[in-house]
Amino acid sequence: MTRPYTICLVAGARPNFMKVAPIAHALQARKNAAGLTGIDLRFSIVHTGQHYDVNMSDVFFRELGIPTPDRHLEVGSGSHAEQTARIMIAFEKVLLEDRPDLVVVVGDVNSTVACSLTAKKLGVRVAHVEAGLRSFDMGMPEEINRKLTDAISDLLFVTEESGMRNLRTEGVPVERIFLVGNVMIDTLLRNVTRIEDPEFAPSDPVRAICGIGGRYGVLTLHRPSNVDHREALAPIWGAIAEVARQVPILFPVHPRTRGKIAAFGLDGTGITMIEPVGYLDMLYAVKGAALVITDSGGLQEETTALGVPCVTIRENTERPVTVDIGTNYLTGTRPEAILSASREILSGEGKKGVVPPLWDGHAAERILDVLMRFAK
Ligand code: UD1
């Protein structure tokens, strides 16, 4: 006799999708093996709708082969309280109808904390993938999301050693914590061969900068602390415009940043602003870049995995392994520091870096090994 065990996998915003993909694929692959051990493994995907534009959401499902969500909550944008509350209300209805045994959340976005809190209050177990990361900066909405989610999760899957230390320090019982590697790097390793295929064609705006044989940089910026106020963004922008005198810079612009750049009247010769790009375009652009300049969390890890130097325009990082052994420079927001790291990289003296332990493409399988143990 097999017994049903139902896992609800939550995806909400762009950085979630590349983390959900390998977990969904591993769940699909485990169905038969689970049946042999008496478990009728079932799973559903819930998309909260935190990100909804085609180029912020649909393109990732299509390119990464993520199954179509079983439920779409369509919450859209709003203030933090509005968005978090709307997700909780809609997700509670889903949980009451579907009654899964386990909810799996990934990353640190508002959907992550909203869904874990809703599940926990209904007595549904929660697993957090990418647990334990800490910037120790409670001014970041993501840090609040990470700490709250970890505080109530039953199973905590960790990407790097610092995460294990942070969770132990916070008193999380060790039997709940698992160092499994990085599911986002699973996706990267699975897809890097696709962009090397001669059949692969980047989109025209990406090819115009990255596909013509010369050196170039890639820029992303979207942290509220960097882009929401002119006094913060203008000096950063000035430093990047200076770097762009040495190499052309491709800038796929997040919707919140585009509005601010226009409102502040910023202009940068050598910085080519394009719409947000899909996963494969971005991987192609980053893999061939001479340097990446960013304030993203995920790109710090992806550049380290690819051996591409990265300048991170933040005062802190929750991913210290990328600085300690990877290719990441944590410069803060001072223009001189951004310029000095960029010059070092462009002179060929940049960090070479090594790939952190367990970032080997098998993190999702390790997670499934643990989940199946707990399903019994
Ligand atoms: C969210 C995450 C952040 C992550 C980032 C990646 C939180 C607290 N923040 O920030 O951790 O690094 O996603 O992108 O969860 N918008 C669109 N189309 C969309 C989505 C958003 O135009 O599909 C615009 C809306 O004007 C919205 C704004 O972008 O108000 C911000 O979106 P939101 O999801 O609130 O936060 P992000 O800045 O994207």
Side-chain angles (χ1 to χ4, degrees), residues 88-247:
M88 290 185 70
I89 292 166
F91 191 55
E92 186 176 51
K93 294 193 179 106
V94 168
L95 291 181
L96 288 171
E97 282 174 27
D98 295 359
R99 287 278 166 199
D101 297 286
L102 178 78
V103 168
V104 177
V105 296
V106 301
D108 56 16
V109 300
N110 285 345
S111 301
T112 310
V113 69
C115 292
S116 51
L117 186 51
T118 309
K120 198 67 189 166
K121 292 256 177 135
L122 285 177
V124 181
R125 290 161 65 85
V126 174
H128 183 206
V129 175
E130 205 187 83
L133 298 182
R134 297 289 181 266
S135 67
F136 303 100
D137 174 3
M138 286 297 268
M140 278 179 87
E142 294 81 3
E143 182 74 355
I144 302 170
N145 294 344
R146 288 189 280 262
K147 288 189 81 165
L148 293 180
T149 303
D150 287 344
I152 57 174
S153 290
D154 298 279
L155 299 171
L156 298 97
F157 296 105
V158 179
T159 51
E160 61 167 87
E161 195 53 57
S162 75
M164 301 295 283
R165 282 197 301 276
N166 294 333
L167 293 173
R168 282 191 217 112
T169 306
E170 289 172 20
V172 179
V174 286
E175 59 276 14
R176 293 198 201 158
I177 314 174
F178 304 88
L179 184 64
V180 290
N182 193 321
V183 285
M184 195 184 61
I185 304 305
D186 288 7
T187 295
L188 183 143
L189 295 175
R190 191 186 251 225
N191 286 284
V192 82
T193 49
R194 287 172 73 187
I195 58 161
E196 284 159 358
D197 190 310
E199 297 283 291
F200 174 75
S203 66
D204 289 344
V206 170
R207 191 184 8 237
I209 305 284
C210 316
I212 51 173
R215 292 204 309 170
Y216 62 88
V218 173
L219 167 68
T220 80
L221 273 182
H222 74 283
R223 291 264 150 240
S225 57
N226 282 342
V227 304
D228 279 1
H229 303 286
R230 191 175 211 294
E231 314 80 75
L233 185 54
I236 292 172
W237 190 258
I240 295 166
E242 191 61 37
V243 178
R245 290 155 69 100
Q246 285 190 60
V247 285

Side-chain angles (χ1 to χ4, degrees), residues 31-108:
K31 271 173 160 291
N32 288 343
L36 296 176
T37 63
I39 299 166
D40 175 12
L41 180 62
R42 302 170 187 186
F43 78 98
S44 63
I45 297 183
V46 172
H47 190 325
T48 65
Q50 177 174 346
H51 284 174
Y52 41 84
D53 286 346
V54 169
N55 57 8
M56 296 288 284
S57 175
D58 302 25
V59 63
F60 296 90
F61 279 77
R62 196 174 62 244
E63 287 188 342
L64 301 179
I66 307 170
T68 306
D70 301 85
R71 304 278 203 151
H72 204 301
L73 309 183
E74 296 180 352
V75 298
S77 303
S79 71
H80 282 266
E82 284 167 344
Q83 188 175 62
T84 308
R86 280 206 296 270
I87 298 169
M88 290 185 70
I89 292 166
F91 191 55
E92 186 176 51
K93 294 193 179 106
V94 168
L95 291 181
L96 288 171
E97 282 174 27
D98 295 359
R99 287 278 166 199
D101 297 286
L102 178 78
V103 168
V104 177
V105 296
V106 301
D108 56 16

